[in-house]
Every structure is written in C-alpha cells, then in structure tokens.
C-alpha cells in the first residue's frame, strides 16, 4: 500500500461490510418499474440522438450539431447504457434487450472480452498490482510500485495516445501485450482473442468510415470527419472519466500478498480505498455513466447505476464513522492530479 | 402489410445490419412502435368483461401465429419492471387472425391479475408458443364429450368452435364446472353454439344442472358412452375424469405449489444439460457443479461479475448475497452465490 493508513480492526471491517450489505439489500428490495423506465428513457434518447446526429452531420450547416449529437449518443451507449447493462445491473428485469450477457456496444472492444477483462478481472482484483490490468492498461506506469524502466519516460506520450485512441486501447485489453512483451505468453496464444477484436473493429470501422460516408454521396467527407470527431470526443471523455476513477491523488494500490484470503468486508474496504468519485450535476452523472460514483459502483457493481446517487450520502457517512477516506472532487481537479501522476511516474522514484 | 414486409426486408439486408449494428434493427424500430420488432408481440385490440372475475382480450399479433385448438400460447407481461410469463389457451377458432384469450384472476396470479387490471386496447404483450398436446385428433369420432373446469373452458371452447367451423356433423356435449353461475364465462356463446351444456356450480350446488363433484353420474347425464372425452381443468377434476375414463385426453393448468423448505441441503440438484443428478450438500451450486466434474464458466465467485449466471429451470434457490429466494421456473441465477432450497434443476 502506498500511503500509511491505520487499518480498522478485523471485527470492525466486517461490521463495516455488514452495513454496506444492508444498503445493497435495501436497494434491491426497492428495484422496480422506475429503474426500467429510466434506462429505457436513456436508450430512447441515445437512439434518437444517434439517428438525428447521423442525419444532421451530413450537411455543412448542421455538421457541428450532428457531430455533437453523435458523440453524446456514443458516450451514452458506452457508459450509462453499455457499461452498466453489461454489469448485469438490469438482469432482474428479465428483458432480453437489457441482458448483460448478450449486450453488444458501439465501440471497438468485443463485449464478451470486456465482460471478462472488466467485470471479472478489474472488479474482482481492483487496484491489485499485477492483477488489475486497468492499472496502466499494460502500457503506462500508474503506480510507484511498478518498477521504473526507461520505457516509462514516454508515459505522458503513451497516455495521450491511449486517450485519443481509447476505444482501441480498451479493445486490445485482453491481448495482454505486456505479458507478450515479457515473454510469458506468445502472440499465437492470443490468436482467437485477436480474431474477435479484428471482426468487431472491422465492422465498426466499415460502418463509421465507409458505409455511412458513402451513403451521404458528395457529402462523404463531412460524414467521415463527423464520425471521426464523434469517436474522438467519446474516447477523450471516457478516458478522462475512467482515469479519474482509480488514479487521482489519494487512491491506493495493493499487493497480491496483502489481499490474499480477503474477507467480504476487506474486499469492500479495498474498493473504497482504491476508488474516487467526481462531483457534478445530474447531467454530468448521466454522461459519465454514473462512474462519477466510482466508489458506490465498485462496492455494488451490479446495482442499477442510477441508484448510486441516492446511496452515496449513506456510504460517505459510513466511511466517516469508520475513519475511512472518501475521495471525491470535481473533474478538473481530479484529472489534474491524474496528469501530474502520469508525468511524475515517467521518471524514476516513488514520489508522486 | 406490404409496406411492413418491405421495411422488414430492407432492415434485414447485410448493409442495414452493418449500419444498424451492433444493436440491430429491432432496437430502433421498436422505439417508433413496440410492435415493429422481430420478436413476436401482440397488441390488445378489444376487451370484454363478461364475468366479475375474468377478462376477455382480443390480441393482434405482429406476425401470423398459428396454433391448434386446445394448445396454449405463452404471454409475457412486465409487472413493476420484471417480466412474467404465463400460458393461456386461445378460445377462438384455430387459424383466426386475432387471438382471443379469457383470463380468470386468481389469488397470487401475477400475470392474470396484471391482465385483469390493465387489459385495455393498446397494451402490448410478448407472445411465444404454441405448445401443448391437448388437441383434437385428425379424424374426430362421432360422439365427443368435453369437460371443462373454470378457465379450462378456453381450450375446450376453441375445440367446439373449430369443430363447428369445420362442419363437424357428429354429436358433442359439455360438462362445465365453475364456482357459481356468475363465474361461467362464455355462457351466451355456448348457447349460440348449440352444444348441450350441463352447468355444475361447486359453490352454489342447487343452482346447477347437476350436484356434487364429477363422477359416473355426471358422465352419464352429459352423454352416454362417448367415443372420446376431453377434459381441461384443475388436477382434481382431471383425476376424477381419468378414474371413469382412463383414455380421456387431458390438460391441467393449476400452477404447481412450490413449498420452500427452511434450510438448504438435502434436496436433489439436477444439472439437466449434462444429465448429472447429485444430492445437495448446501454449498453454492457452482461449487457443487465443479465437484460433480462439470466446468461451468465462472469469474469473480463473489456474485458481482455475472459470468456464471445460469438458467434455473425448476425449483427454488436462495441468493447468499441478497437473501432473496427465487421460486419461479426459468429464472436466471448467479450460481456462485446461490444455494438450492429443495430440489432444483439447472441448465448446465
């Protein structure tokens, strides 16, 4: 662990875990039509914006508006809709359109691979160095506990590239390039994974950069540029929100040793120490897929995300009572600390 | 209909699939109209309430649905955000464009209560099926007796109406059991059909044509020596008819009562896809499946990632993370945090 923190006693941690369990049970007992109506409204808005956006960006006078709508649609599709549905947050509804195991999203990463790399790996082993591959995505040095190598001098450059190409970075997650580079596995071991990524990425590319532009005839360049911009905006936004979830100043990483034989209470404890929230208005929370409530999301990844806002004060109050940090701040402040960390960790040493 | 077919063709072309991917055409068309989807759905077009405890709905499906008189369709509705499904037998002539369903409300019947309360023109429901072996033979014998109990009248009426529309020239008769005279749906329609009906009212014996429960006496009063007997109703009625006529073609509709034992362990777990049955030792289903030599997909093993989610086909399981008990058939459960409560069948 990077910062010295007095751990609560084991009994106290379990007590703390039971209080969190109680919050979840209360929300689960209350789930109903209001939650389904909400996600369907978001789906409707996303599809409406997608259709309107794709139409409007074909013509120069409305290009900017259309591109903005398409970008919003992609952000909603990936975050409030795709990410949350694929967590199984709406599986209790029995609606196949909201089924987390079959949902596919409008981004380069195949949904099946995401379900493994995110739901299983990242959410189970959150912030455990060497296990949670979201720490640096296999290309960045995001923790002082990662040994420095000259390669990391390019940390800010890699981070910038990851930001603008974020959908491809996410798509390549399951390839585990750092293990290939280390010689632990060979490229041939990842053949099937690569084939799936290729199929999904090819479809997405054909759609945004060939089929829709051709459909616009003489206005093809506008459509091409609009789709490129919308994808870029989504990439930068998603990267910013996601990197603010676990890397702002104050979040902690863990070692495999200290998390071995973890109890449920300790698991909750780790989720809180390793996550950070973003403050903002209702629209901001929706556009961030409620990942602005990263702490609540990591405690209860399969509760409908719209519920995080209502339980956040309760979680915060529990944290205060147990003397645990509750890391929260506005996006610009939190993101600045992330950038600082990326730049600082390009150089050797442990200080951040 | 032509435009609909044209639109359907267009949205299923490879180019459209690419343009509308990855969500597919349905996810866009259903926003405009919930009936424009490749899933079978039906809209209520007409509603009639002829008895105090039932409602009759006429449904227009978004694609032709064919069923045989006596078979049932599965109707799916959403109640407080959750989908629930229940089987109902159409009551009209087989091959009709509209589907006529009569729904009797009963205590604890989620779908029936919902349809009784909310059945109005414009309501869209999900449809699947048909299913069921309760049907007329290809060649009908000349003397056929029908026995219906409660809402068991619907498949029987479909059969009687289909026989009439096919120009059946033999003899038919109906024994019809309901609680009271008010509960007898389709009283007028039965008169119009011209089929001799004997009404029995289980809670108002004196008002009926016959008294008591079904026995030889009722059988003789309805039709002497029928060539074939068809019965649809609660298990008790079907059993009584089968005692007199073991050859009766029968259908029961009573929902099985799921008794949930207090503690896990001791029941029987059947992994149905692999045909492996084991005795429940109380551990989560995932662990027991693995001990039985199966290798189901799994991830976090603490109930958060949903990788291990499987369909529970039958029986009850309790979630260790939420303490909720799932008793309905065909529900998805996270097997890493679910323990069996009594006998359970899992699709694994």
């Amino acid at each position: 662990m990077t910062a010295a923190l007095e751990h609560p006693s084991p009994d106290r941690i379990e007590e703390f875990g039971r209080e969190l369990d109680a919050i979840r049970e209360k929300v689960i007992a209350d789930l109903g039509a209001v939650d389904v109506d909400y996600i369907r409204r978001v789906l409707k808005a996303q599809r409406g914006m997608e259709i309107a956006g794709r139409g409007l960006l074909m013509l120069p006078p409305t290009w900017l508006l259309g591109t903005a709508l398409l970008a919003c649609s992609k952000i909603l599709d990936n975050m409030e809709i795709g990410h949350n549905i694929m967590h199984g947050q709406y599986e209790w509804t029995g609606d196949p359109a909201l089924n987390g195991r079959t949902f596919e999203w409008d981004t380069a990463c195949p949904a099946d691979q995401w379900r493994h790399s995110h739901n299983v790996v990242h959410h189970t082993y959150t912030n455990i160095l060497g296990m949670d591959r979201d720490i640096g995505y296999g290309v960045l040095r995001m923790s002082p506990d990662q040994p420095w190598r000259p390669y990391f001098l390019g940390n800010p450059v890699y981070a910038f590239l990851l930001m603008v190409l974020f959908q491809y970075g996410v798509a390549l997650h399951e390839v585990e390039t750092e293990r290939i580079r280390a010689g632990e596995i060979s490229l041939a071991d990842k053949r099937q994974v690569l084939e799936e990524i290729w199929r999904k990425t090819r479809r997405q590319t054909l759609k945004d950069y060939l089929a829709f532009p051709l459909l616009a005839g003489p206005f093809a360049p506008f459509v091409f540029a609009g789709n490129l911009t919308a994808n870029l905006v989504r990439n930068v936004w998603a990267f910013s929100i996601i990197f603010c979830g676990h890397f702002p100043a104050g979040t902690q990483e863990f070692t495999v040793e200290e998390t071995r034989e973890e109890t449920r209470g300790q698991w909750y404890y780790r989720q809180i120490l390793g996550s950070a929230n973003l403050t903002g208005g209702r629209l901001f929370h929706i556009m961030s897929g409620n990942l602005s409530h990263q702490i609540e999301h990591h405690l209860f990844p399969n509760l409908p995300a719209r519920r995080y806002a209502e339980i956040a004060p309760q979680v915060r109050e529990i944290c205060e009572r147990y003397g645990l940090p509750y890391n929260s701040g506005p996006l610009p402040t939190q993101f600045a600390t992330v950038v600082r960390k990326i730049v600082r960790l390009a150089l050797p040493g442990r200080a951040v | 209909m032509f435009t609909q077919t044209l639109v359907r063709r267009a949205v299923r072309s490879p180019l459209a699939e690419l343009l509308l991917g990855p969500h597919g055409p349905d996810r866009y068309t259903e926003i405009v109209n919930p009936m424009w989807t490749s899933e079978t759905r039906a809209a209520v077009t007409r509603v009639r309430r002829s008895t105090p405890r039932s409602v009759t709905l006429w449904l227009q499906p978004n694609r032709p649905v064919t069923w045989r008189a006596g078979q049932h369709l599965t109707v799916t509705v959403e109640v407080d955000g959750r989908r629930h499904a229940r089987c109902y037998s159409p009551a009209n002539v087989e091959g009709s464009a509209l589907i006529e369903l009569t729904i009797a409300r009963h205590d604890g019947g989620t779908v029936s209560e919902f349809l009784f309360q909310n059945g109005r023109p414009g309501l869209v429901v999900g449809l699947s099926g048909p299913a069921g072996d309760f049907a007329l033979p290809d060649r009908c014998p000349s003397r056929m007796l029908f026995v219906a109990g409660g809402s068991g009248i619907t498949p029987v009426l479909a059969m009687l109406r289909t026989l009439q529309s096919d120009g059946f020239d033999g003899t038919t008769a109906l024994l019809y059991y309901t609680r009271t005279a008010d509960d007898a749906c389709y009283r007028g329609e039965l008169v119009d059909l011209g089929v001799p009906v004997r009404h029995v009212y289980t809670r108002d014996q004196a008002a009926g044509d016959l008294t008591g429960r079904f026995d030889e006496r009722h059988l003789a009063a309805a039709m002497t020596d029928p060539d074939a007997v068809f019965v649809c109703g609660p298990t008790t009625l079907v059993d009584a008819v089968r005692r007199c006529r073991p050859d009766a073609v029968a259908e029961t509709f009573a929902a099985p009562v799921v008794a949930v034992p207090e503690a896990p362990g001791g029941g029987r777990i059947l992994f149905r896809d692999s045909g492996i049955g084991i005795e429940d030792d109380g551990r989560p289903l995932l662990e027991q499946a693995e001990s039985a030599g199966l290798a189901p997909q799994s991830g976090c093993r603490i109930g958060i990632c949903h990788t291990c989610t499987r369909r529970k086909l039958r029986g009850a399981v309790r979630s260790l993370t939420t303490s909720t008990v799932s008793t309905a058939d065909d529900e998805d459960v996270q097997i890493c945090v679910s323990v069996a409560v009594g006998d359970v069948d899992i699709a694994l």
Side-chain angles (χ1 to χ4, degrees):
Chain A
M1 211 168 293
T2 51
L5 182 94
E6 202 166 320
H7 294 298
S9 71
D11 284 353
R12 210 142 152 76
I13 287 198
E14 292 322 299
E15 204 183 303
F16 157 78
R18 280 191 293 275
E19 291 205 36
L20 291 173
D21 279 339
I23 291 181
R24 187 188 47 193
E25 278 181 39
K26 221 169 120 194
V27 174
I28 286 179
D30 191 47
L31 294 179
V34 59
D35 300 279
V36 188
D37 292 347
Y38 166 78
I39 195 67
R40 292 206 180 117
R41 273 203 308 279
V42 178
L43 279 160
K44 215 169 171 171
Q46 180 265 317
R47 285 159 202 168
M49 282 199 271
E50 182 183 355
I51 291 167
R54 289 198 187 275
L56 291 171
L57 62 73
M58 287 188 186
L59 299 169
T62 52
W63 183 87
L64 194 62
L65 176 64
T67 303
L69 285 172
L70 184 60
C72 285
S73 139
K74 281 178 181 273
I75 286 170
L76 280 179
D77 177 277
N78 291 180
M79 302 180 81
E80 182 67 346
I81 297 168
H83 167 267
N84 291 339
I85 286 182
M86 288 196 289
H87 261 296
Q89 294 183 355
Y90 296 92
E91 234 148 76
W92 53 273
T93 63
D95 181 351
L98 304 177
N99 187 308
R101 281 162 298 131
T102 52
F103 194 87
E104 186 58 79
W105 56 352
D106 184 12
T107 180
C109 177
D112 280 330
Q113 292 187 18
W114 167 263
R115 280 182 269 267
H116 179 256
S117 67
H118 183 77
N119 294 3
V120 181
V121 179
H122 171 58
H123 272 273
T124 313
Y125 307 111
T126 315
N127 279 28
I128 303 177
L129 268 171
M131 293 188 83
D132 180 4
R133 306 196 49 267
D134 277 31
I135 304 178
Y137 284 67
V139 289
L140 302 178
R141 184 169 181 241
M142 292 308 297
S143 163
D145 292 338
Q146 284 170 281
W148 185 84
R149 284 180 283 123
Y151 160 86
F152 288 123
L153 283 170
N155 223 26
V157 179
Y158 312 143
F160 179 78
L161 289 174
L162 182 62
M163 177 172 76
V164 294
L165 298 169
F166 195 53
Q167 67 164 333
Y168 304 109
V170 172
L172 289 170
H173 218 46
E174 284 283 275
V175 181
E176 303 185 287
T177 50
E178 77 285 3
R179 288 183 63 201
I180 295 174
R181 284 198 309 270
E184 290 171 36
I185 50 171
S186 74
L187 199 59
D189 294 330
K190 289 290 177 180
R191 197 195 157 107
Q192 202 199 330
V193 168
L194 282 163
E195 276 173 5
E196 285 166 12
I197 297 170
W198 166 241
R199 270 197 299 276
K200 178 76 193 288
T201 306
R202 187 183 54 187
R203 266 188 93 82
Q204 289 292 109
T205 309
L206 281 176
K207 178 176 94 163
D208 277 346
Y209 300 123
L210 192 70
F212 273 114
L214 286 182
L215 214 62
F219 299 104
F222 291 98
V223 176
F224 186 91
N227 292 353
L228 187 72
T229 310
N231 279 325
L232 176 69
V233 169
R234 184 269 325 271
N235 286 351
V236 172
W237 178 254
F239 173 92
S240 310
I241 297 294
I242 290 164
F243 268 62
C244 283
H246 299 291
F247 307 125
T251 52
Q252 303 185 20
E253 291 89 36
F254 307 85
T255 63
V256 176
E257 286 70 35
E258 62 188 346
T259 54
R260 204 162 271 154
E261 307 278 318
E262 209 175 40
T263 64
R264 181 147 194 90
Q266 287 168 331
W267 182 83
Y268 275 138
Y269 180 57
R270 170 159 58 86
Q271 301 301 334
I272 286 183
L273 296 187
S275 309
N277 281 5
L278 292 168
T279 51
R282 198 174 131 74
L283 190 64
F284 173 74
H285 291 309
I286 294 174
M287 292 309 284
S288 73
N290 276 301
L291 291 177
S292 45
H293 298 295
Q294 190 76 225
I295 296 173
E296 288 72 26
H297 174 57
H298 264 267
L299 295 174
F300 313 115
N302 41 18
L303 283 188
R306 65 175 287 274
R307 296 285 188 155
Y308 296 153
E310 75 184 40
I311 59 172
Q314 301 166 41
V315 173
R316 191 172 195 144
E317 187 271 324
I318 292 176
C319 287
E320 271 167 24
R321 255 193 296 122
Y322 285 82
L324 303 182
Y326 186 91
N327 192 335
S328 182
L331 179 63
T333 318
Q334 296 286 75
F335 194 68
T337 69
V338 174
V339 172
R340 199 172 155 264
K341 189 183 264 186
I342 290 169
V343 173
R344 174 62 194 84
L345 289 174
L347 301 169
R350 297 186 49 86
V352 272
Chain B
M1 207 63 192
F2 173 73
T3 6
Q4 245 188 46
T5 315
L6 203 69
V7 169
R8 203 169 285 160
R9 283 249 175 103
V11 297
R12 309 262 169 254
S13 69
L15 177 65
E17 296 244 325
L18 180 71
L19 295 175
L20 300 172
H23 303 306
D26 286 352
R27 301 282 101 94
Y28 297 91
T29 52
E30 71 186 1
I31 289 183
V32 186
N33 183 333
M35 296 279 278
W36 293 356
T37 155
S38 56
E39 288 169 39
T40 307
R41 291 181 189 164
V44 174
T45 57
R46 220 182 109 201
V47 179
R48 199 182 64 188
R49 293 168 193 276
S50 53
T51 76
R53 295 173 50 82
S54 76
V55 61
T56 301
L57 308 174
W58 281 267
L59 301 172
Q60 172 73 63
N62 60 355
R63 57 177 41 72
V65 175
T66 53
W67 75 94
R68 291 189 64 187
Q71 284 192 304
H72 53 257
L73 301 168
T74 302
V75 175
T76 307
V77 296
E78 200 169 283
V79 184
D80 194 23
R82 291 168 176 82
R83 291 209 171 185
H84 296 266
R86 193 96 175 98
C87 298
Y88 296 101
S89 306
N92 52 343
V93 177
E94 68 180 34
S96 305
L98 288 185
I99 298 163
E100 176 186 337
L101 301 179
T102 290
I103 291 106
R105 71 191 295 200
H106 56 94
D107 299 335
T110 313
V111 181
S112 301
E113 189 61 30
F114 177 85
L115 289 172
F116 182 80
Q117 299 288 353
N118 302 282
R120 60 181 67 95
L123 174 74
V124 174
V125 301
L127 267 190
S128 62
D133 307 323
F134 189 61
L136 291 167
D138 294 333
R139 289 175 61 104
C140 289
S142 57
R143 295 168 55 73
M144 293 195 283
L145 172 66
F146 295 86
V147 184
S151 50
I153 188 64
T154 54
V156 166
L157 186 64
M159 289 173 159
L160 292 170
R161 284 171 161 174
T162 301
L163 285 171
Q164 192 196 42
S165 117
D166 289 352
F168 176 68
D169 56 2
T171 316
T172 53
L174 172 65
L175 257 175
Y176 187 9
Y177 295 80
T178 50
R179 289 183 187 182
T180 67
D182 279 347
D183 291 311
C185 306
Y186 293 115
R187 179 181 293 276
E189 286 82 352
L190 289 167
V191 172
D192 295 343
L193 264 179
V195 176
V197 185
R198 298 285 185 152
H199 284 281
V200 187
Y201 307 123
T202 51
R203 293 189 187 175
D204 187 12
Q205 301 268 344
D209 302 321
L210 300 162
T211 55
R213 304 265 161 189
F214 178 91
D215 56 12
E216 293 282 0
R217 202 166 41 87
H218 286 199
L219 182 63
M223 184 183 265
T224 43
D225 238 356
D227 299 321
V229 177
F230 296 85
V231 53
C232 183
T235 328
T236 45
L237 177 67
V238 169
D239 290 346
V241 172
R242 280 249 165 100
R243 273 195 292 278
C244 296
R245 285 293 298 246
D247 64 331
V249 180
E251 171 100 319
T252 61
F253 54 74
V257 180
V258 182
V260 179
E262 292 286 304
R268 187 196 45 79
I269 300 172
L270 177 63
F271 300 111
R272 218 191 270 177
D273 297 351
S274 38
I276 295 176
I278 56 167
E279 194 181 315
D280 178 26
D281 62 14
R283 287 181 301 150
L285 296 170
L286 173 62
E287 289 178 29
Q288 297 200 57
E290 288 169 341
S291 302
L294 299 173
Q297 270 200 327
S298 69
C300 67
R301 305 179 79 94
I302 51 175
I304 59 164
C305 79
H306 290 250
T307 307
C308 70
T309 300
R310 292 282 166 164
R311 173 110 341 163
K312 179 205 60 180
L313 303 162
R314 208 181 57 83
V317 303
R318 204 183 69 236
S319 161
L320 295 174
T321 54
T322 64
S323 314
T324 48
V325 177
S326 149
T327 53
D329 290 348
D330 294 317
E331 276 192 336
D332 287 335
V333 296
Q334 294 170 272
I335 59 172
C336 69
V337 288
S338 291
V339 290
V341 187
D343 295 349
V344 173
D345 287 12
I346 300 283
L348 192 77

